[in-house]
Amino acid sequence: MKRRNFVTRTALGSLSMLIGTDIVFGNTMPKDYNPLALQDPDPFKMFNKDRGMEVLNDKPWNIEAKAHLLDDKITPNTSMFLRNNGLIPENIDASTWTLTIDGESVSKSKTYSLADLKTKFPQYTYQLTLECGGNGRSEFDPPAKGNQWTVGAVSCANWTGIRLRDLLDDVGINNDAVYIGYHAADVHLSRDPKKEPISRGAPMPKVMQDETLIAFKMNGEDIPLAHGYPLRLVAGGWPASVSGKWINRISVRNIIHDGTKMTGTAYRVPCNPVAPGEKVKDEDMCIIESMPVKSLITYPKTGATIKDGKVLNIRGHAWAGELEILKMEYSIDFGATWKTCNLEKPANRLAWQHFTAEVSFPKKGYYEVWAKATDSMGISQPMLLPGWNPKGYLNNACHRIAIKVV
Amino acid sequence: MDEHTKFKQRAKAIYQMLLGIFGLFAVAAFTILFLMLNPDLLKKSGPQVEEMEYTTVPKEDDFDKIENGIHVRTGLVDAEGLMTVVNNCTNCHSAKLVTQNRMNEERWITTIRWMQETQNLWDLGPNEKIIVNYLVSNYPPEKKGRRENLKDIEWYDLN
């Protein structure tokens, strides 16, 4: 023990040298305390996330929620999944931030300050469902490359901003406009300034929707840095990668936008169905637009043990891209029989809908509660994995939780 | 006294002096060692700080520590080719992007090509074979079928 003290003293000396300054009170530094300069960044503190969230990747940061963390009707930042393709920009100065509208299909490009955007256009607030195109990727067989999202890469927060349509009207766009593409301040992983981590967009009909916003507020406050402060495109119901973060430029294109992650296999699925593991040529891959029908049981958390004879109250959310949910059902016998859930109308178009049900179990034992949503086109969630695709997108298979009745 | 006796006396004097010096050295060395082992003796007496256990700061050689077959710093499996993978594959992205994926040889190579074409990954040269072998041996595809059983359920009482 004494010899260890000596080692500590010597080490403290070299530690001070490493940090470049004396560690005051270093000789009374308690065990188990690491000086801040040597600590790993704590993502939960750094991004204000619930400690139950799952870090899939720390460079770039990718963090997902678990089903039970998404129980709120309006998703708070603490349980909102975090998806990054590059490095989060540093030293953002909102007072000098500008948004430029350019591209082949504007007659003259125009630049706006944040104050311009906030004062010159009417503001709207919508609750919008944002789901990562790769949510559920972890279940595909053969496995698909990328972050192995399970169920938690979805959120539905309130977004406040101006309509992209109003902004484009102010700039004036030509009739040949086909697509918009966003450009943003995030940094490529290789730190190559010539490379954009991601530059996606949407076709004009989506751009012109009431709910497609250039947002500067999330849940009534400045957008958190990791979610796109100070300016974010929000296009609910489509893969969340359309909703570009930290945007400083929007190009109005006379072709389908060809920015990073618009081409090749990124955010695309085979135009025609393929067998699991089949090779698909780039030209046979089609861009994902509206996300498919899906739902999540957010209460109770999976693994609940209840007393025999007790009724279990379940609840959750359902969403269907551009469409509405018409029916919500649950099954406790692996789909042999289905019972209907109570279903609320959405707060607005493109917002998820809440459901509840009272579930009774006939006898003791192990059960799974499966949830199945049906959209306004009559399309339901599959119980098995939907069509395999090379990049593992659009897994909307039924969510289920385990319950034991004792 | 003849020359011989004189010489003998001088030699004896030198011998005694050396003995004295070595003695002093020995005492000094002992004292220093003792103080090194008991540094508290040098502390001024006064209000004693509560005795606490001090922790050692990780030394440089712990940087690539392996625990239970896992390279602690990256989470990668400790196997042949580990450091080649660490040095080539964790500069741009996290090792978590490797450890959460499962691919066969062809698809790991395709992934490397994609990174070389679009993500500024360098030519791996002879290291490519080492890296691909490591990935295929330690992160091969797993069969999951159309739907897996629910696993890792943490049971709790719901009142």
Side-chain angles (χ1 to χ4, degrees):
Chain A
M1 205 50 66
K2 298 288 183 191
R3 201 163 51 122
R4 209 167 134 198
N5 280 354
F6 171 71
V7 174
T8 305
R9 276 157 181 272
T10 334
L12 262 176
S14 29
L15 186 59
S16 319
M17 251 160 58
L18 267 174
I19 299 179
T21 171
D22 270 354
I23 300 179
V24 186
F25 305 128
N27 63 338
T28 51
M29 198 162 74
K31 184 180 155 65
D32 296 330
Y33 176 79
N34 290 321
L36 199 62
L38 298 182
Q39 276 175 4
D40 282 337
D42 177 351
F44 305 102
K45 218 183 241 171
M46 195 159 59
F47 302 124
N48 187 22
K49 297 295 174 196
D50 190 293
R51 290 201 173 265
M53 303 270 288
E54 193 75 34
V55 176
L56 298 182
N57 202 336
D58 49 20
K59 192 182 172 187
W61 284 108
N62 283 280
I63 301 176
E64 77 167 330
K66 294 193 179 112
H68 68 279
L69 297 176
L70 291 167
D71 195 37
D72 298 89
K73 290 193 167 185
I74 298 169
T75 312
N77 176 48
T78 48
S79 45
M80 180 180 276
F81 76 100
L82 189 51
R83 176 14 175 177
N84 285 296
N85 289 266
L87 307 171
I88 296 171
E90 290 157 7
N91 308 320
I92 285 177
D93 182 1
S95 65
T96 58
W97 192 271
T98 58
L99 176 67
T100 300
I101 312 292
D102 64 6
E104 301 96 344
S105 295
V106 300
S107 34
K108 193 166 180 285
S109 69
K110 201 166 172 179
T111 298
Y112 299 86
S113 68
L114 269 186
D116 290 340
L117 298 175
K118 287 180 184 173
T119 54
K120 289 185 177 164
F121 302 93
Q123 297 184 11
Y124 301 89
T125 299
Y126 297 107
Q127 195 189 347
L128 298 167
T129 309
L130 293 183
E131 184 182 12
C132 177
N135 196 20
R137 172 177 295 138
S138 62
E139 287 194 281
F140 280 103
D141 179 16
K145 184 186 74 146
N147 288 300
Q148 299 297 306
W149 305 101
T150 62
V151 296
V154 61
S155 70
C156 196
N158 275 321
W159 294 91
T160 303
I162 62 167
R163 286 182 175 149
L164 177 53
R165 183 178 70 208
D166 291 348
L167 188 62
L168 296 186
D169 280 349
D170 188 63
V171 177
I173 58 167
N174 304 334
N175 287 334
D176 64 349
V178 172
Y179 227 91
I180 63 107
Y182 64 75
H183 303 276
D186 47 350
V187 178
H188 195 268
L189 286 181
S190 65
R191 293 201 174 267
D192 180 346
K194 291 194 291 289
K195 282 186 180 292
E196 290 181 291
I198 186 162
S199 168
R200 303 196 70 245
M204 292 321 283
K206 180 65 180 168
V207 167
M208 292 302 175
Q209 284 181 2
D210 285 356
E211 302 85 2
T212 301
L213 300 179
I214 300 290
F216 33 78
K217 280 190 169 165
M218 186 182 105
N219 293 337
E221 289 170 19
D222 280 348
I223 301 172
L225 172 64
H227 292 290
Y229 177 80
L231 215 51
R232 178 173 193 174
L233 175 64
V234 185
W238 285 41
S241 55
V242 175
S243 299
K245 305 191 274 187
W246 315 288
I247 55 166
N248 51 27
R249 188 157 67 91
I250 289 177
S251 301
V252 186
R253 311 293 311 270
N254 62 3
I255 54 165
I256 293 174
H257 182 53
D258 53 359
T260 307
K261 307 237 168 171
M262 279 303 297
T263 57
T265 56
Y267 298 102
R268 288 175 184 243
V269 288
C271 303
N272 297 317
V274 300
E278 200 174 312
K279 280 207 182 52
V280 187
K281 292 195 200 91
D282 279 4
E283 61 262 37
D284 295 330
M285 297 285 279
C286 287
I287 300 172
I288 301 167
E289 299 196 332
S290 176
M291 293 292 287
V293 55
K294 198 164 173 178
S295 60
L296 212 48
I297 303 167
T298 58
Y299 181 89
K301 182 183 171 199
T302 187
T305 303
I306 60 167
K307 292 248 155 41
D308 189 18
K310 196 171 176 278
V311 168
L312 177 70
N313 289 300
I314 62 163
R315 58 175 181 260
H317 320 289
W319 61 98
E322 288 283 324
L323 305 174
E324 213 178 296
I325 301 294
L326 285 194
K327 192 164 68 171
M328 190 67 216
E329 293 164 291
Y330 74 88
S331 175
I332 58 165
D333 52 16
F334 305 93
T337 61
W338 291 94
K339 289 199 170 74
T340 309
C341 305
N342 304 308
L343 178 68
E344 289 179 30
K345 295 295 272 182
N348 51 255
R349 215 176 72 80
L350 312 180
W352 65 19
Q353 293 164 248
H354 317 297
F355 66 84
T356 56
E358 293 180 351
V359 184
S360 303
F361 299 91
K363 52 182 171 180
K364 291 179 183 176
Y366 171 88
Y367 292 89
E368 289 177 13
V369 179
W370 289 57
K372 181 174 79 171
T374 303
D375 69 21
S376 47
M377 301 288 278
I379 310 285
S380 301
Q381 292 179 257
M383 290 185 69
L384 299 177
L385 270 275
W388 183 89
N389 63 90
K391 296 296 291 288
Y393 294 121
L394 307 184
N395 175 9
N396 67 335
C398 290
H399 180 234
R400 60 229 157 104
I401 56 169
I403 301 288
K404 217 184 267 179
V405 179
V406 293
Chain B
M1 273 193 280
D2 59 3
E3 283 296 310
H4 184 70
T5 323
K6 262 185 187 169
F7 176 77
K8 256 188 159 178
Q9 277 178 343
R10 271 189 207 144
K12 204 176 173 184
I14 290 171
Y15 175 76
Q16 278 169 346
M17 196 171 76
L18 278 174
L19 211 69
I21 289 170
F22 277 120
L24 273 173
F25 266 118
V27 170
F30 178 78
T31 313
I32 288 169
L33 262 173
F34 185 75
L35 283 174
M36 279 169 81
L37 295 171
N38 301 282
D40 286 350
L41 291 183
L42 282 180
K43 262 193 189 161
K44 279 182 211 145
S45 57
Q48 280 292 311
V49 183
E50 190 193 335
E51 191 62 39
M52 280 182 139
E53 216 179 315
Y54 294 98
T55 175
T56 47
V57 171
K59 277 175 282 175
E60 195 61 34
D61 55 346
D62 283 334
F63 190 58
D64 282 317
K65 190 165 59 177
I66 306 288
E67 245 175 48
N68 305 322
I70 298 292
H71 184 237
V72 174
R73 176 161 63 88
T74 60
L76 289 160
V77 172
D78 178 30
E80 198 183 333
L82 168 68
M83 287 322 291
T84 314
V85 170
V86 170
N87 293 333
N88 286 281
C89 308
T90 62
N91 290 278
C92 288
H93 61 73
S94 163
K96 284 176 179 286
L97 201 51
V98 177
T99 54
Q100 58 173 320
N101 276 287
R102 299 286 182 275
M103 288 184 256
N104 61 21
E105 180 171 352
E106 185 195 359
R107 295 195 52 235
W108 278 116
I109 291 174
T110 309
T111 305
I112 289 171
R113 293 288 167 271
W114 173 78
M115 287 188 281
Q116 285 169 333
E117 282 159 22
T118 66
Q119 307 294 306
N120 290 359
L121 173 63
W122 46 85
D123 182 357
L124 296 167
N127 282 336
E128 180 169 309
K129 204 167 172 235
I130 299 169
I131 291 168
V132 171
N133 279 343
Y134 172 89
L135 294 171
V136 173
S137 317
N138 298 292
Y139 300 95
E142 293 161 355
K143 281 270 158 233
K144 293 184 202 143
R146 273 280 170 192
R147 206 83 208 254
E148 282 184 296
N149 278 344
L150 291 175
K151 51 189 179 189
D152 306 325
I153 301 165
E154 291 168 22
W155 294 104
Y156 65 96
D157 285 327
L158 181 69
N159 299 310

